[in-house]
Each structure stands twice: as C-alpha cells, then as structure tokens.
Amino acid sequence: MNQASLYQHANQVQRHDAKLILDEFASTLQWRSDGEDALLDVGSGSGNVLMDFVRPLLPKRGQLVGTDISSQMVGYASKHYQGEERTRFQVLDIGCERLPEELSARFDHVTSFYCLHWVQNLKGALGNIYNLLKPEGGDCLLAFLASNPVYEVYKILKRNDKWSTFMQDVEQFISPLHYSVNPGEEFSQLLNEVGFEQHNVEIRNEVFVYEGVRTLKDNVKAICPFLERMPSTLHEEFLDDFVDIVISMNLQQGEKNEDQKFLSPYKLVVAYARKTPEFVNKVFLDPPHHSLFKGIN
Ligand SMILES: C[S@@+](CC[C@H](N)C(=O)[O-])C[C@H]1O[C@@H](n2cnc3c(N)ncnc32)[C@H](O)[C@@H]1O
Ligand SMILES: CC(C)=CCC/C(C)=C/CC/C(C)=C/C(=O)O
C-alpha cells in the first residue's frame, strides 16, 4: 500500500468504521486531567482518518504522532497536514524488533485503524504497542480486519497463470486472524501474553455495500498490493477478473451494469485495552461505560 492519494480518495469503509468506533470509545479513552495527552497512531496511511476523527478528540495541548511503515504515506501526510500544531508524522514498522528510543514509553494513548491485518507478526506488534505506552499506564484502541472476502478473491486470482507470478507471497497479505476459528479469543490471548491485564475484544460482523463497479474497483486499487508489481496496462484486466470472481462468489446485487452493487461481509476486531488494571477499575465505577466491558477478561 503506497498510493497515498488513491487511498485518501477511496477509503469510505475505513472512514466509516473508524468514525463509528471513535464516537463509541471517545469517552472511554482515559484522558489526562492536565490536557497534555500524547497519542500515537499506528498505520495512519494518508492521514485523513487520524486528522478528521482522532485529532478533534485530543485536548488542545495534546501531542499527536502519526506513524506508518510506508515512507510514501508518511511523506504525503506530512505535506498534506503541515502547519497542524503539535502534530507530526514519522516512519514506524509496528512489527519491528526494537522501537526507536524517542517513541518508547512516551504515549498516553495508541490508536490504530485498519492496519494490524497487514502485520503478520501480530504478537510483536502488540508488544510494541504496549511498550509505546508510558510505564505508569495508558490505553489503546485498535480496529482491524479478522476476515474479508478480498482474501478469498486474492487466493483464487493467484491460481490464474496470468496473475500468479505477481502473487506468489499472497499469504503475507492475508490477515493473521483470517483462518482463526475464534479470532476474538486468539486476540485476547495475545493481549494477555504481551502484558495487557485488562481488555475488551469484540468481533463485529459487518457488511459494506459498494455502490457500482467503479467504486469497488477504486477501493481495490487503493489497497491491493499486487497492482504495483505489474505494468499499469494490466490493471484494468486484473480488476475485471477480480470483479468476475466476486460475482462467482454471489456477492453482487442487481443486474450486471455500471450501477451493480457488491456486498462485502467482513469481521472487524475492535479492541480496547489498558496497561494497568487500576485504570480499568476506575471505569468499572463509572456507570455510563459499563456496557463496553461486557465479557472483559
Ligand atoms: C488501510 S491503511 C489504514 C490507514 C488509516 N489508519 C485509515 O484508517 O484510513 C493501512 C496502513 O497500514 C500501513 N501498514 C502496513 N503494515 C504496517 C506496519 N507493519 N507498521 C506500520 N504501518 C503499517 C500501510 O502502509 C497503510 O498505510
Ligand atoms: C466484495 C469484495 C470482495 C470487496 C472487497 C473490497 C475491499 C477493497 C476490501 C479491502 C479490505 C482491506 C484489506 C482494507 C484495508 O486494509 O484498508
């Protein structure tokens, strides 16, 4: 994923989900009483989810760091949002072996939307998220795909001789929870293993409707890692084959024309975790948030 401007203009599902989740969790995030919260976002991409939905929640004196593995994304976001006070963007691979010194143990909050399904070393990433938080406490809000039909489409495309040379490593781009029989339990276990003592994990079954074939193709183009490996003259043919497979999976609605709709049923992991239990206990005493902690581990 390196095409920041394509992504910025074709990320309706991602924006929709991030907004809903942030509306729901805004008051659960444990804001500091001095208004000097430091928040790091993992996998900020082109930056618009971060700036449109996370930034407004942060107190005026808060510090915001957007990070991404892609220097192209970071360059785009830095340029696009230059001049925003107390905000910066920097390259960070959340699956890295060792966190950069200047980021380690510095943050009150870590957020991440639609990124962790790209990271095969999920446990390493969660360990890093834990270590980004200040030693005395802090919380994280994470949302990412457990499964999506796009992964089955990729696997079918890989079997086609036309595309297989570009897709040998397809498994590297499939969510690490896609094959899990109990993704919620598996993710809770990982949160425990890296040290989060209290957390709430939900698996949400969602369906997104793409209105028209062009919308579906643009959304695929914005995130498909295989397109940048092939000549651009093949892109439309690849996307046509993609759509044919979606139709063979019965995910279309209506007649085959430009306005045909496409359904994407997917599972979203939504997790909220706090580093220290006493912070969660404080929330337990606060009635408005009780429902968020149903089934907390
Ligand atoms: C679908 S975009 C999500 C962008 C943004 N958070 C949003 O909600 O619109 C996923 C982003 O995760 C980034 N990413 C993938 N693997 C990563 C990793 N190991 N560390 C940090 N970022 C990563 C990609 O470069 C991409 O910009
Ligand atoms: C009908 C169908 C197969 C739709 C899939 C559409 C699509 C573009 C899914 C992308 C999922 C994904 C990996 C998103 C992201 O990381 O932002």
Side-chain angles (χ1 to χ4, degrees):
M1 277 200 72
N2 277 311
Q3 301 254 45
S5 87
L6 263 187
Y7 181 74
Q8 177 99 334
H9 295 106
N11 63 352
Q12 295 90 335
V13 199
Q14 295 89 338
R15 284 178 67 81
H16 171 266
D17 286 344
K19 176 156 176 24
L20 272 181
I21 293 162
L22 282 160
D23 284 349
E24 187 179 329
F25 283 87
S27 60
T28 302
L29 280 156
Q30 198 153 52
W31 302 107
R32 294 171 64 98
S33 51
D34 62 6
E36 300 207 342
D37 300 72
L39 186 151
L40 181 140
D41 185 63
V42 172
S44 309
S46 56
N48 65 355
V49 161
L50 180 65
M51 298 310 286
D52 294 347
F53 307 133
V54 179
R55 185 74 179 115
L57 302 178
L58 206 61
K60 286 212 165 39
R61 290 206 306 280
Q63 297 281 341
L64 189 59
V65 181
T67 64
D68 202 282
I69 195 173
S70 155
S71 52
Q72 206 271 344
M73 288 288 187
V74 169
Y76 180 94
S78 305
K79 193 165 164 210
H80 214 77
Y81 299 105
Q82 69 186 2
E84 291 284 343
E85 280 184 20
R86 287 179 288 279
T87 301
R88 67 187 165 88
F89 291 88
Q90 85 175 63
V91 171
L92 172 70
D93 172 3
I94 197 59
C96 65
E97 282 292 317
R98 182 188 278 259
L99 283 172
E101 187 63 31
E102 78 276 11
L103 298 180
S104 199
R106 302 290 162 103
F107 296 90
D108 300 292
H109 318 283
V110 172
T111 55
S112 184
F113 298 95
Y114 269 82
C115 170
L116 294 178
H117 51 265
W118 292 93
V119 187
Q120 294 304 319
N121 178 11
L122 200 48
K123 187 171 176 185
L126 286 181
N128 282 334
I129 289 172
Y130 185 87
N131 290 323
L132 285 164
L133 293 170
K134 290 177 179 168
E136 66 269 25
D139 54 6
C140 66
L141 178 59
L142 313 171
F144 65 100
L145 291 172
S147 66
N148 187 291
V150 75
Y151 299 132
E152 295 307 316
V153 179
Y154 285 163
K155 287 197 285 178
I156 297 170
L157 281 167
K158 191 203 160 193
R159 288 191 229 130
N160 184 331
D161 289 344
K162 256 191 295 180
W163 312 119
S164 64
T165 46
F166 306 111
M167 304 181 79
Q168 282 306 305
D169 56 351
V170 68
E171 293 294 332
Q172 294 304 308
F173 299 99
I174 291 179
S175 168
L177 296 181
H178 181 65
Y179 300 109
S180 174
V181 285
N182 194 342
E185 184 53 42
E186 205 172 305
F187 195 64
S188 296
Q189 182 64 35
L190 290 178
L191 285 166
N192 271 335
E193 284 170 15
V194 302
F196 285 104
E197 287 172 38
Q198 302 276 341
H199 46 80
N200 178 55
V201 177
E202 287 175 37
I203 302 297
R204 299 189 178 176
N205 288 297
E206 310 279 356
V207 179
F208 192 83
V209 181
Y210 293 87
E211 306 272 348
V213 69
R214 195 67 255 165
T215 308
L216 174 64
K217 285 181 174 179
D218 287 347
N219 277 262
V220 175
K221 253 168 131 171
I223 56 94
C224 178
F226 311 109
L227 286 166
E228 62 197 39
R229 299 172 173 182
M230 58 181 86
S232 56
T233 48
L234 292 180
H235 286 186
E236 204 52 32
E237 192 179 341
F238 179 88
L239 293 170
D240 284 337
D241 286 0
F242 186 106
V243 172
D244 286 346
I245 294 166
V246 170
I247 292 172
S248 76
M249 291 165 74
N250 244 332
L251 293 172
Q252 81 285 16
Q253 215 177 45
E255 294 302 305
K256 187 166 185 183
N257 59 36
E258 286 304 297
D259 298 327
Q260 191 170 34
K261 294 181 175 38
F262 298 92
L263 306 181
S264 171
Y266 60 97
K267 285 187 198 301
L268 196 68
V269 182
V270 180
Y272 175 74
R274 286 179 177 171
K275 198 164 180 173
T276 50
E278 59 271 26
F279 281 76
V280 168
N281 290 339
K282 230 178 113 202
V283 169
F284 276 138
L285 299 173
D286 191 355
H289 304 311
H290 270 181
S291 60
L292 286 177
F293 287 86
K294 267 189 249 143
I296 194 164
N297 286 304

